[in-house]
Amino acid sequence: MLPFIAFTGFIQLADFVSFYSETTSLFLLSISLWFLAYWSTHKKFTTLQLILFGFLLGLLPLCKIQVLPMAFVVGVFAFIQLFLFQKSKMLRYGAVLMGSVVAVWGGWCLFLLSHNVLDDFVTFYIQANFQYKDALATANSRSPLLNFFRLPWVIIRGGSGFEWLFLPFCLLAFVFVVIVFFRKKSLRSLSLDSFFWLMIGAYLVMADIAITR
């Protein structure tokens, strides 16, 4: 929830309109990550939880299309958790999750089609976003791989505003490593919920890719 609170807290306009169009997607991503953490701890799922989770995943690209890489990681690890914790019900639960995502996009496309703006949505939201990325890539002489590894340094050196989120996160990550890993006698004692932290790493890699692209 911290990124959402931070971005919203810096908005100084009474109507909450700002350039931070990432705010809503950050809020939904935070809730999605909470679901994964909850399932990792309790090792069980309910149909209502999966419907809500699928609904959030379906909404994410409509909030900010650049959030797709992170949403993909969250969705993949939800299925991994279904496989690890509920093998016997994986197909049924997986169908509920996917059905919720399809229902969001199906309803959205039918709504647009009924107002004769579906073609406009595809042109101005999907195609235009990809063309915008290509235009930025042409103007940037550095390779995408170099930008990927430069991003942490750009944040640390300051001036972008991201350091107020990145540096506390590094501190929390260090504390986590000290408390959790150094207190365990062997890595074999790590339980299945350790896959959650692998997902966090993949999530941050995808976030880097989304930003640097």
Side-chain angles (χ1 to χ4, degrees):
M1 305 299 288
L2 289 178
F4 172 75
I5 294 172
F7 277 121
T8 306
F10 283 111
I11 295 175
Q12 300 178 2
L13 303 178
D15 56 5
F16 292 100
V17 175
S18 75
F19 292 109
Y20 296 125
S21 58
E22 294 85 359
T23 304
T24 308
S25 59
L26 284 170
F27 179 65
L28 297 185
L29 273 173
S30 298
I31 299 175
S32 301
L33 290 173
W34 178 86
F35 270 112
L36 293 184
Y38 180 88
W39 293 332
S40 180
T41 302
H42 292 81
K43 312 292 189 298
K44 60 182 181 179
F45 309 81
T46 66
T47 301
L48 179 59
Q49 289 172 353
L50 292 170
I51 291 175
L52 291 175
F53 183 79
F55 184 73
L56 292 175
L57 286 186
L59 285 179
L60 277 170
L62 298 177
C63 298
K64 186 78 173 177
I65 199 170
Q66 285 83 0
V67 84
L68 268 175
M70 288 82 81
F72 174 77
V73 169
V74 171
V76 167
F77 272 84
F79 278 98
I80 290 176
Q81 287 187 333
L82 285 175
F83 175 77
L84 292 175
F85 307 139
Q86 295 286 339
K87 282 185 180 180
S88 61
K89 300 179 181 179
M90 180 180 175
L91 290 179
R92 180 164 67 88
Y93 282 163
V96 171
L97 200 162
M98 287 299 300
S100 302
V101 176
V102 172
V104 171
W105 273 87
W108 175 245
C109 290
L110 287 175
F111 174 77
L112 295 178
L113 188 62
S114 66
H115 289 79
N116 298 316
V117 291
L118 181 59
D119 291 340
D120 297 327
F121 172 75
V122 173
T123 300
F124 292 104
Y125 189 69
I126 297 178
Q127 293 181 354
N129 266 288
F130 283 105
Q131 292 176 0
Y132 175 66
K133 174 191 72 69
D134 294 337
L136 289 179
T138 303
N140 192 346
S141 59
R142 297 192 186 95
S143 69
L145 184 63
L146 179 60
N147 286 330
F148 176 85
F149 288 105
R150 285 185 74 250
L151 180 62
W153 163 245
V154 172
I155 295 174
I156 291 173
R157 74 183 182 186
S160 64
F162 282 106
E163 63 270 17
W164 298 106
L165 296 174
F166 182 74
L167 296 179
F169 175 81
C170 290
L171 177 61
L172 288 173
F174 175 76
V175 172
F176 167 76
V177 171
V178 171
I179 293 178
V180 177
F181 283 97
F182 288 174
R183 290 173 111 187
K184 291 185 178 289
K185 296 180 180 179
S186 68
L187 292 177
R188 287 178 296 179
S189 62
L190 292 176
S191 58
L192 285 177
D193 60 358
S194 301
F195 283 93
F196 177 76
W197 302 106
L198 177 62
M199 185 276 299
I200 290 293
Y203 178 88
L204 291 175
V205 169
M206 285 298 188
D208 191 327
I209 292 174
I211 293 171
T212 53
R213 286 187 71 196

